[in-house]
Amino acid sequence: VQSRRRSLSVAGDMAFLFVACCVLVLGIVFFGYQRHTNKPRGKSPFAQDCRRAPADYVSDHNERDAVLKQGFSPSKVPDELDAVIIGSGIGGLTTAVLLSRAGLKVLVIEQHDQAGGCCHTFYEKGFEFDTGIHYIG
């Protein structure tokens, strides 16, 4: 029984080593090919400086909610969208920014009444709660 377990363990280790080597070789070939191709690359979406001065902070919650908590209606959806992002978490918003910087028309749809996913806050009995702060620490 012991020798059979050792042979299975060795066979498993050899299979893992083989797969790891294949992945390594394919990665080297792929990235080496990408590096040495002379294909013209598209314009970088980060070539233009799109920074702007920050707007004044709006501290009135009702005024902020009028912008952030707009309900969905089909009449608000623009025609000829290039991409629809479902979810306004940090990944969805990052993807939307990158696609829009690349020149695409993007729509972000969120199920919750506030954008931000696990990065937003809510108020209860005068206290502010972070919904995703436990992801940091």
Side-chain angles (χ1 to χ4, degrees):
V1 176
Q2 289 289 344
S3 63
R4 186 171 183 190
R5 284 186 186 164
R6 273 193 212 129
S7 66
L8 288 176
S9 175
V10 170
D13 291 343
M14 293 299 289
F16 175 76
L17 186 60
F18 175 74
V19 170
C21 288
C22 288
V23 169
L24 180 65
V25 168
L26 287 174
I28 291 171
V29 168
F30 177 75
F31 288 116
Y33 173 76
Q34 290 291 334
R35 194 169 168 201
H36 295 295
T37 56
N38 293 328
K39 287 170 50 175
R41 297 183 185 247
K43 181 183 165 194
S44 170
F46 303 106
Q48 181 182 0
D49 187 11
C50 294
R51 291 179 291 180
R52 61 180 177 189
D56 292 334
Y57 180 73
V58 178
S59 61
D60 181 31
H61 290 292
N62 294 329
E63 198 174 330
R64 292 176 68 186
D65 287 347
V67 174
L68 293 175
K69 296 186 178 185
Q70 297 180 18
F72 175 79
S73 71
S75 63
K76 292 182 181 177
V77 177
D79 294 332
E80 300 180 16
L81 288 171
D82 295 317
V84 176
I85 310 282
I86 300 173
S88 68
I90 198 163
L93 292 176
T94 302
T95 303
V97 166
L98 291 173
L99 290 175
S100 66
R101 292 282 305 266
L104 301 176
K105 284 182 79 173
V106 180
L107 173 67
V108 178
I109 298 175
E110 172 60 43
Q111 165 184 343
H112 198 274
D113 64 346
Q114 188 173 6
C118 287
C119 295
H120 77 270
T121 60
F122 67 94
Y123 292 90
E124 185 75 31
K125 297 180 182 176
F127 295 100
E128 180 181 22
F129 294 93
D130 297 317
T131 60
I133 195 67
H134 58 279
Y135 288 114
I136 295 173

